[in-house]
Coordinates of all heavy atoms in Angstrom, one line a residue:
T23 N -2.0 2.6 6.0 CA -3.4 2.4 6.0 C -3.9 2.0 4.6 O -3.2 2.3 3.6 CB -4.2 3.6 6.5 OG1 -4.0 4.7 5.5 CG2 -3.7 4.1 7.9
D24 N -5.1 1.5 4.5 CA -5.7 1.2 3.2 C -5.8 2.5 2.3 O -5.5 2.4 1.1 CB -7.0 0.6 3.3 CG -7.0 -0.9 3.8 OD1 -5.9 -1.5 3.6 OD2 -7.9 -1.4 4.3
A25 N -6.1 3.6 2.9 CA -6.2 4.8 2.2 C -4.9 5.2 1.6 O -4.8 5.7 0.4 CB -6.7 6.0 3.1
E26 N -3.8 5.1 2.3 CA -2.5 5.4 1.8 C -2.1 4.5 0.6 O -1.6 4.9 -0.4 CB -1.4 5.2 2.9 CG -1.4 6.2 4.0 CD -0.5 5.9 5.1 OE1 -0.1 4.7 5.3 OE2 -0.3 6.8 5.9
R27 N -2.4 3.2 0.7 CA -2.2 2.3 -0.3 C -2.9 2.6 -1.6 O -2.4 2.5 -2.7 CB -2.4 0.8 0.1 CG -1.3 0.3 1.0 CD -1.5 -1.2 1.2 NE -2.7 -1.5 2.0 CZ -2.7 -1.5 3.3 NH1 -1.6 -1.2 4.0 NH2 -3.8 -1.9 4.0
K28 N -4.2 3.0 -1.4 CA -5.0 3.3 -2.6 C -4.5 4.6 -3.3 O -4.5 4.6 -4.5 CB -6.5 3.5 -2.2 CG -7.1 2.1 -1.8 CD -8.5 2.4 -1.4 CE -9.1 1.0 -1.0 NZ -10.4 1.2 -0.3
T29 N -4.0 5.6 -2.6 CA -3.6 6.8 -3.2 C -2.2 6.7 -3.6 O -1.8 7.3 -4.6 CB -3.8 8.0 -2.2 OG1 -3.1 7.8 -1.0 CG2 -5.3 8.2 -1.9
K30 N -1.3 6.0 -2.9 CA 0.1 6.0 -3.2 C 0.5 4.8 -4.0 O 1.5 4.8 -4.7 CB 0.9 6.0 -1.9 CG 0.7 7.3 -1.1 CD 1.1 8.5 -1.8 CE 0.9 9.7 -0.9 NZ 1.2 11.0 -1.5
G31 N -0.2 3.7 -3.9 CA 0.1 2.5 -4.7 C 0.8 1.4 -3.8 O 0.8 1.5 -2.6
F32 N 1.2 0.3 -4.5 CA 1.8 -0.8 -3.8 C 2.9 -1.5 -4.7 O 2.9 -1.2 -5.9 CB 0.8 -1.8 -3.4 CG -0.1 -2.3 -4.5 CD1 0.3 -3.5 -5.1 CD2 -1.2 -1.7 -4.9 CE1 -0.4 -4.0 -6.2 CE2 -1.9 -2.2 -6.0 CZ -1.5 -3.3 -6.6
I33 N 3.6 -2.4 -4.2 CA 4.7 -3.1 -5.0 C 4.1 -4.4 -5.5 O 3.5 -5.2 -4.7 CB 5.9 -3.3 -4.1 CG1 6.5 -2.0 -3.7 CG2 6.9 -4.2 -4.9 CD1 7.6 -2.2 -2.7
K34 N 4.2 -4.6 -6.8 CA 3.6 -5.7 -7.5 C 4.2 -7.0 -6.8 O 5.3 -7.1 -6.4 CB 4.0 -5.7 -8.9 CG 3.4 -6.8 -9.7 CD 3.7 -6.8 -11.2 CE 3.1 -7.9 -11.9 NZ 3.5 -8.0 -13.3
D35 N 3.3 -8.0 -6.6 CA 3.6 -9.3 -6.1 C 4.0 -9.3 -4.6 O 4.6 -10.2 -4.1 CB 4.7 -10.0 -6.9 CG 4.3 -10.3 -8.3 OD1 3.1 -10.6 -8.5 OD2 5.2 -10.2 -9.2
S36 N 3.7 -8.2 -3.9 CA 4.0 -8.1 -2.5 C 2.9 -8.7 -1.7 O 1.8 -8.8 -2.2 CB 4.3 -6.6 -2.1 OG 3.1 -5.9 -2.3
I37 N 3.2 -9.1 -0.5 CA 2.2 -9.5 0.5 C 1.8 -8.3 1.3 O 2.7 -7.7 1.9 CB 2.7 -10.7 1.4 CG1 3.1 -11.9 0.5 CG2 1.7 -11.0 2.4 CD1 3.8 -12.9 1.3
K38 N 0.6 -7.9 1.3 CA 0.2 -6.7 2.0 C -0.6 -7.1 3.3 O -1.7 -7.6 3.2 CB -0.7 -5.8 1.1 CG 0.0 -5.4 -0.1 CD -0.9 -4.9 -1.2 CE -0.9 -5.6 -2.5 NZ -0.2 -6.8 -2.8
I39 N 0.1 -6.8 4.4 CA -0.5 -7.1 5.7 C -0.4 -5.9 6.6 O 0.7 -5.4 6.8 CB 0.2 -8.4 6.4 CG1 0.1 -9.6 5.5 CG2 -0.4 -8.6 7.8 CD1 0.9 -10.8 6.0
S40 N -1.4 -5.5 7.2 CA -1.3 -4.3 8.1 C -0.7 -4.7 9.4 O -0.8 -5.9 9.8 CB -2.7 -3.7 8.3 OG -3.5 -4.6 9.1
L41 N -0.1 -3.8 10.1 CA 0.4 -4.1 11.4 C -0.6 -4.6 12.3 O -0.4 -5.5 13.2 CB 1.1 -2.8 11.9 CG 1.8 -3.0 13.3 CD1 2.9 -4.1 13.2 CD2 2.4 -1.7 13.7
Q42 N -1.8 -4.0 12.2 CA -2.9 -4.4 13.1 C -3.3 -5.9 13.0 O -3.7 -6.5 13.9 CB -4.2 -3.6 12.8 CG -4.0 -2.2 13.1 CD -5.2 -1.3 12.6 OE1 -5.8 -1.7 11.7 NE2 -5.4 -0.2 13.3
T43 N -3.1 -6.5 11.8 CA -3.4 -7.9 11.6 C -2.2 -8.8 11.4 O -2.4 -10.0 11.1 CB -4.4 -8.0 10.3 OG1 -3.7 -7.6 9.2 CG2 -5.6 -7.2 10.5
L44 N -1.1 -8.3 11.6 CA 0.2 -9.1 11.4 C 0.2 -10.4 12.2 O 0.4 -11.5 11.6 CB 1.4 -8.3 11.7 CG 2.7 -9.0 11.5 CD1 2.9 -9.4 10.1 CD2 3.9 -8.0 11.9
S45 N -0.1 -10.3 13.4 CA 0.0 -11.5 14.3 C -1.0 -12.6 13.8 O -0.7 -13.8 13.9 CB -0.3 -11.2 15.8 OG 0.7 -10.3 16.3
E46 N -2.1 -12.2 13.3 CA -3.1 -13.2 12.8 C -2.8 -13.8 11.4 O -3.3 -14.7 11.0 CB -4.5 -12.5 12.7 CG -4.9 -11.8 13.9 CD -5.9 -10.7 13.6 OE1 -6.5 -10.5 12.5 OE2 -6.1 -9.9 14.5
N47 N -1.8 -13.1 10.7 CA -1.5 -13.5 9.3 C -0.1 -14.0 9.2 O 0.4 -14.0 8.0 CB -1.8 -12.3 8.4 CG -3.3 -12.1 8.2 OD1 -4.0 -12.9 7.7 ND2 -3.7 -10.9 8.7
L48 N 0.6 -14.4 10.2 CA 2.0 -14.8 10.1 C 2.1 -16.0 9.2 O 3.2 -16.1 8.6 CB 2.5 -15.2 11.5 CG 2.6 -14.0 12.5 CD1 3.0 -14.5 13.9 CD2 3.7 -13.0 12.0
S49 N 1.1 -16.8 9.1 CA 1.2 -18.0 8.2 C 1.3 -17.6 6.7 O 1.7 -18.4 5.9 CB 0.0 -18.9 8.4 OG -1.2 -18.3 8.0
L50 N 1.0 -16.4 6.4 CA 1.1 -15.9 5.0 C 2.5 -15.5 4.6 O 2.8 -15.4 3.4 CB 0.2 -14.7 4.7 CG -1.3 -14.9 5.0 CD1 -2.0 -13.6 4.8 CD2 -1.8 -16.0 4.0
I51 N 3.4 -15.4 5.6 CA 4.8 -14.9 5.4 C 5.7 -16.1 5.3 O 5.8 -16.9 6.3 CB 5.2 -13.9 6.5 CG1 4.1 -12.8 6.6 CG2 6.6 -13.4 6.2 CD1 4.2 -11.9 7.8
P52 N 6.5 -16.2 4.3 CA 7.5 -17.3 4.2 C 8.6 -17.2 5.2 O 9.1 -16.1 5.4 CB 8.0 -17.2 2.8 CG 7.8 -15.8 2.4 CD 6.6 -15.3 3.1
K53 N 9.0 -18.3 5.8 CA 10.1 -18.3 6.7 C 11.4 -18.7 6.1 O 12.4 -18.8 6.7 CB 9.8 -19.3 7.9 CG 8.8 -18.7 8.9 CD 8.7 -19.6 10.1 CE 7.9 -18.9 11.2 NZ 7.9 -19.5 12.5
D54 N 11.4 -19.0 4.8 CA 12.6 -19.5 4.1 C 13.0 -18.5 3.0 O 13.9 -18.8 2.2 CB 12.3 -20.8 3.4 CG 11.2 -20.7 2.4 OD1 10.4 -19.8 2.4 OD2 11.1 -21.7 1.6
K55 N 12.5 -17.2 3.0 CA 12.9 -16.2 2.1 C 13.2 -14.9 2.8 O 12.8 -14.7 3.9 CB 11.8 -16.0 1.1 CG 11.4 -17.1 0.2 CD 10.3 -16.8 -0.8 CE 10.0 -18.0 -1.6 NZ 8.9 -17.7 -2.5
K56 N 14.0 -14.1 2.1 CA 14.3 -12.8 2.6 C 13.0 -12.0 2.6 O 12.2 -12.1 1.7 CB 15.3 -12.1 1.6 CG 15.6 -10.7 2.0 CD 16.6 -10.1 0.9 CE 16.5 -8.6 0.9 NZ 17.1 -8.0 -0.2
I57 N 12.9 -11.2 3.7 CA 11.7 -10.4 3.9 C 12.1 -8.9 3.9 O 13.0 -8.5 4.6 CB 11.0 -10.7 5.2 CG1 10.5 -12.1 5.2 CG2 9.8 -9.8 5.4 CD1 9.9 -12.6 6.5
D58 N 11.5 -8.1 3.0 CA 11.6 -6.6 3.0 C 10.3 -6.1 3.5 O 9.3 -6.3 3.0 CB 11.9 -6.1 1.6 CG 13.3 -6.5 1.1 OD1 14.2 -6.5 1.9 OD2 13.3 -6.9 -0.1
I59 N 10.4 -5.3 4.6 CA 9.2 -4.7 5.2 C 9.2 -3.2 5.0 O 10.2 -2.5 5.1 CB 9.2 -4.9 6.8 CG1 9.4 -6.4 7.1 CG2 8.0 -4.4 7.4 CD1 9.6 -6.7 8.6
L60 N 8.0 -2.7 4.6 CA 7.9 -1.3 4.5 C 6.5 -0.9 4.8 O 5.5 -1.7 4.7 CB 8.3 -0.8 3.1 CG 7.5 -1.2 1.9 CD1 7.6 -0.1 0.9 CD2 8.0 -2.4 1.3
C61 N 6.4 0.3 5.3 CA 5.1 1.0 5.5 C 5.2 2.4 4.8 O 6.1 2.6 4.0 CB 4.8 1.1 7.0 SG 6.0 2.1 7.9
F62 N 4.4 3.3 5.1 CA 4.5 4.6 4.4 C 5.7 5.3 4.8 O 6.4 5.8 3.9 CB 3.2 5.4 4.7 CG 3.2 6.6 3.8 CD1 2.9 6.4 2.4 CD2 3.4 7.9 4.3 CE1 2.9 7.5 1.6 CE2 3.4 8.9 3.4 CZ 3.1 8.8 2.1
S63 N 6.1 5.4 6.1 CA 7.2 6.2 6.5 C 8.4 5.4 7.1 O 9.5 5.8 7.2 CB 6.8 7.3 7.5 OG 6.4 6.6 8.7
G64 N 8.1 4.2 7.6 CA 9.1 3.3 8.2 C 8.8 3.0 9.7 O 9.4 2.0 10.2
M65 N 8.0 3.7 10.3 CA 7.7 3.5 11.8 C 7.1 2.1 12.0 O 7.5 1.3 12.9 CB 6.9 4.6 12.3 CG 6.9 4.6 13.8 SD 8.6 4.9 14.4 CE 8.3 6.3 15.4
R66 N 6.0 1.8 11.3 CA 5.3 0.6 11.5 C 6.1 -0.6 11.1 O 6.0 -1.7 11.7 CB 3.9 0.6 10.8 CG 2.9 1.5 11.5 CD 1.7 1.6 10.6 NE 2.1 2.4 9.4 CZ 1.3 3.1 8.6 NH1 0.1 3.0 8.9 NH2 1.8 3.8 7.6
A67 N 7.0 -0.4 10.1 CA 7.8 -1.5 9.6 C 8.8 -2.0 10.7 O 9.0 -3.2 10.9 CB 8.6 -1.0 8.4
S68 N 9.3 -1.1 11.5 CA 10.2 -1.4 12.6 C 9.4 -2.2 13.6 O 10.0 -3.2 14.1 CB 10.7 -0.1 13.2 OG 11.6 -0.4 14.3
I69 N 8.2 -1.9 13.9 CA 7.4 -2.7 14.9 C 7.1 -4.1 14.3 O 7.2 -5.1 15.0 CB 6.1 -1.9 15.2 CG1 6.4 -0.6 15.9 CG2 5.2 -2.8 16.1 CD1 5.2 0.3 16.1
A70 N 6.8 -4.1 13.0 CA 6.5 -5.4 12.3 C 7.7 -6.3 12.4 O 7.6 -7.5 12.6 CB 6.1 -5.1 10.9
K71 N 8.9 -5.8 12.2 CA 10.1 -6.6 12.3 C 10.3 -7.2 13.7 O 10.6 -8.4 13.8 CB 11.4 -5.8 11.9 CG 12.6 -6.6 12.0 CD 13.8 -5.8 11.6 CE 15.1 -6.6 11.6 NZ 16.3 -5.9 11.1
T72 N 10.0 -6.4 14.7 CA 10.1 -6.9 16.1 C 9.0 -8.1 16.3 O 9.4 -9.1 16.9 CB 9.8 -5.8 17.1 OG1 10.8 -4.8 16.8 CG2 9.8 -6.2 18.5
V73 N 7.9 -7.9 15.7 CA 6.8 -8.9 15.8 C 7.3 -10.2 15.2 O 7.1 -11.3 15.7 CB 5.5 -8.4 15.3 CG1 4.4 -9.6 15.2 CG2 4.9 -7.3 16.1
L74 N 7.8 -10.1 14.0 CA 8.3 -11.3 13.2 C 9.4 -12.0 14.0 O 9.3 -13.2 14.1 CB 8.8 -10.9 11.8 CG 7.7 -10.4 10.9 CD1 8.4 -10.0 9.5 CD2 6.7 -11.5 10.6
I75 N 10.3 -11.3 14.5 CA 11.5 -11.9 15.2 C 10.9 -12.6 16.5 O 11.3 -13.8 16.8 CB 12.5 -10.9 15.6 CG1 13.2 -10.5 14.3 CG2 13.5 -11.5 16.6 CD1 14.2 -9.3 14.4
A76 N 10.0 -12.0 17.2 CA 9.4 -12.5 18.4 C 8.6 -13.8 18.1 O 8.4 -14.6 19.0 CB 8.5 -11.5 19.1
N77 N 8.2 -14.0 16.8 CA 7.4 -15.2 16.4 C 8.2 -16.2 15.7 O 7.7 -17.0 14.9 CB 6.2 -14.7 15.6 CG 5.1 -14.2 16.5 OD1 4.4 -14.9 17.1 ND2 5.0 -12.9 16.6
G78 N 9.6 -16.1 15.8 CA 10.4 -17.2 15.3 C 10.9 -17.0 13.9 O 11.4 -18.0 13.3
F79 N 10.7 -15.8 13.3 CA 11.2 -15.6 12.0 C 12.7 -15.3 12.1 O 13.1 -14.3 12.6 CB 10.5 -14.5 11.3 CG 9.1 -14.8 10.8 CD1 8.1 -14.9 11.7 CD2 8.9 -15.2 9.4 CE1 6.8 -15.3 11.2 CE2 7.7 -15.5 9.0 CZ 6.6 -15.6 9.9
N80 N 13.5 -16.3 11.5 CA 15.0 -16.1 11.6 C 15.6 -15.8 10.3 O 16.8 -15.7 10.2 CB 15.6 -17.4 12.1 CG 15.1 -17.7 13.6 OD1 15.1 -16.9 14.4 ND2 14.8 -19.0 13.8
N81 N 14.8 -15.7 9.2 CA 15.3 -15.3 7.9 C 15.7 -13.9 7.9 O 15.5 -13.1 8.8 CB 14.3 -15.7 6.8 CG 12.9 -15.4 7.2 OD1 12.5 -15.5 8.3 ND2 12.1 -15.1 6.2
E82 N 16.4 -13.5 6.8 CA 16.8 -12.1 6.7 C 15.6 -11.2 6.6 O 14.8 -11.4 5.8 CB 17.7 -11.9 5.4 CG 18.3 -10.6 5.2 CD 19.1 -10.4 4.0 OE1 19.5 -11.4 3.4 OE2 19.4 -9.3 3.6
I83 N 15.6 -10.2 7.5 CA 14.5 -9.3 7.5 C 15.0 -7.8 7.4 O 15.8 -7.4 8.2 CB 13.6 -9.4 8.8 CG1 13.1 -10.8 9.0 CG2 12.5 -8.4 8.8 CD1 12.4 -11.0 10.3
N84 N 14.6 -7.1 6.4 CA 15.1 -5.8 6.1 C 13.9 -4.8 6.2 O 12.9 -5.1 5.7 CB 15.8 -5.7 4.8 CG 16.9 -6.6 4.6 OD1 17.9 -6.6 5.4 ND2 16.9 -7.5 3.6
I85 N 14.2 -3.6 6.7 CA 13.3 -2.5 6.7 C 13.7 -1.6 5.6 O 14.8 -1.2 5.5 CB 13.2 -1.8 8.1 CG1 12.8 -2.7 9.2 CG2 12.4 -0.5 7.9 CD1 12.8 -2.1 10.5
V86 N 12.8 -1.3 4.7 CA 13.1 -0.4 3.6 C 13.1 1.0 4.1 O 12.1 1.5 4.6 CB 12.0 -0.6 2.4 CG1 12.3 0.4 1.3 CG2 12.0 -2.0 1.9
E87 N 14.3 1.6 4.1 CA 14.5 2.9 4.7 C 13.5 3.9 4.1 O 13.4 4.0 2.9 CB 15.9 3.4 4.5 CG 17.0 2.6 5.2 CD 16.9 2.8 6.7 OE1 16.6 4.0 7.1 OE2 17.2 1.9 7.5
G88 N 12.8 4.6 4.9 CA 11.9 5.7 4.5 C 10.6 5.2 4.0 O 9.8 6.0 3.6
G89 N 10.4 3.9 3.9 CA 9.2 3.3 3.4 C 8.7 3.7 2.1 O 9.5 4.1 1.2
V90 N 7.4 3.6 1.8 CA 6.8 3.9 0.5 C 7.1 5.4 0.1 O 7.4 5.6 -1.0 CB 5.3 3.7 0.6 CG1 4.6 4.1 -0.7 CG2 5.0 2.2 0.8
Q91 N 7.1 6.3 1.1 CA 7.4 7.7 0.7 C 8.7 7.8 0.1 O 8.9 8.6 -0.9 CB 7.3 8.6 2.0 CG 7.4 10.1 1.6 CD 6.4 10.6 0.7 OE1 5.2 10.4 1.0 NE2 6.7 11.1 -0.4
N92 N 9.7 7.1 0.6 CA 11.1 7.2 0.0 C 11.1 6.6 -1.5 O 11.7 7.1 -2.4 CB 12.1 6.4 0.8 CG 13.5 6.5 0.3 OD1 13.9 7.6 0.0 ND2 14.2 5.4 0.2
L93 N 10.3 5.5 -1.7 CA 10.2 5.0 -3.0 C 9.6 6.0 -4.0 O 10.1 6.2 -5.1 CB 9.4 3.7 -3.0 CG 9.9 2.5 -2.2 CD1 9.0 1.3 -2.3 CD2 11.3 2.1 -2.7
I94 N 8.5 6.6 -3.5 CA 7.9 7.7 -4.3 C 8.8 8.8 -4.6 O 8.9 9.3 -5.8 CB 6.6 8.2 -3.6 CG1 5.5 7.1 -3.6 CG2 6.0 9.4 -4.3 CD1 4.4 7.4 -2.6
D95 N 9.5 9.3 -3.6 CA 10.4 10.4 -3.8 C 11.6 10.1 -4.8 O 12.1 10.9 -5.4 CB 11.1 10.8 -2.4 CG 10.0 11.4 -1.5 OD1 8.9 11.8 -2.0 OD2 10.4 11.5 -0.3
N96 N 11.9 8.8 -4.9 CA 13.0 8.3 -5.8 C 12.4 7.7 -7.1 O 13.1 7.0 -7.7 CB 13.9 7.4 -5.1 CG 14.7 8.1 -4.0 OD1 15.7 8.8 -4.4 ND2 14.4 7.9 -2.8
N97 N 11.2 8.0 -7.4 CA 10.5 7.7 -8.7 C 10.4 6.2 -8.9 O 10.5 5.7 -10.0 CB 11.3 8.3 -9.8 CG 11.2 9.8 -9.8 OD1 10.1 10.4 -9.5 ND2 12.3 10.5 -9.9
F98 N 10.3 5.4 -7.8 CA 10.1 3.9 -8.0 C 8.7 3.8 -8.4 O 7.7 4.4 -7.9 CB 10.3 3.2 -6.6 CG 10.1 1.7 -6.6 CD1 11.2 0.9 -6.9 CD2 8.9 1.2 -6.4 CE1 11.1 -0.4 -7.0 CE2 8.7 -0.2 -6.5 CZ 9.8 -1.0 -6.7
K99 N 8.4 2.9 -9.5 CA 7.1 2.8 -10.0 C 6.3 1.8 -9.1 O 6.6 0.7 -9.0 CB 7.2 2.2 -11.4 CG 5.8 2.1 -12.1 CD 5.9 1.9 -13.5 CE 4.6 1.5 -14.2 NZ 3.4 2.0 -13.6
L100 N 5.2 2.4 -8.6 CA 4.3 1.6 -7.8 C 3.1 1.2 -8.6 O 2.7 2.0 -9.5 CB 3.8 2.4 -6.5 CG 4.9 2.7 -5.6 CD1 4.4 3.7 -4.5 CD2 5.6 1.5 -4.9
D101 N 2.5 0.1 -8.3 CA 1.2 -0.3 -9.0 C 0.0 0.3 -8.3 O 0.1 0.6 -7.1 CB 1.1 -1.8 -9.0 CG 2.0 -2.5 -10.0 OD1 2.6 -1.8 -10.9 OD2 2.3 -3.7 -9.8
H102 N -1.1 0.5 -9.0 CA -2.3 1.0 -8.3 C -3.4 0.1 -8.5 O -3.5 -0.7 -9.3 CB -2.6 2.4 -8.9 CG -1.6 3.4 -8.6 ND1 -1.7 4.1 -7.4 CD2 -0.5 3.9 -9.2 CE1 -0.7 5.0 -7.3 NE2 0.1 4.8 -8.4

């Protein structure tokens, strides 16, 4: 959610699209580059990957295990 991103941070130069608006924003996502998907815990990222594949994204798509929480737990520096 936006509240999570504001309190926990985000990854610099990332494209931030909520699962709720993913279908409307597919044009923002490159089809010729590797895609790493993450959410706070990983659940929405899994759904997002399914949406991308169903919409013809054939590039490498990875779900970041554990999502943003895992990055925080492992001291990955997030931007605010």
Side-chain angles (χ1 to χ4, degrees):
T23 67
D24 285 337
E26 288 170 345
R27 283 190 290 277
K28 287 177 184 172
T29 58
K30 301 296 183 185
F32 59 92
I33 297 173
K34 185 178 178 183
D35 298 324
S36 62
I37 299 172
K38 297 162 240 10
I39 302 172
S40 71
L41 182 58
Q42 295 171 330
T43 64
L44 179 59
S45 294
E46 309 153 14
N47 289 296
L48 294 173
S49 64
L50 299 175
I51 304 168
K53 286 192 170 187
D54 62 342
K55 295 181 180 177
K56 175 183 159 190
I57 299 173
D58 292 318
I59 304 173
L60 66 149
C61 61
F62 191 71
S63 66
M65 194 63 125
R66 288 171 292 201
S68 180
I69 297 168
K71 180 176 181 176
T72 301
V73 171
L74 292 177
I75 291 169
N77 282 279
F79 283 79
N80 297 316
N81 36 332
E82 182 180 348
I83 302 172
N84 300 304
I85 296 174
V86 177
E87 292 290 324
V90 174
Q91 185 61 54
N92 185 46
L93 297 178
I94 293 167
D95 292 345
N96 287 288
N97 298 314
F98 183 88
K99 181 166 173 27
L100 298 173
D101 289 340
H102 292 274

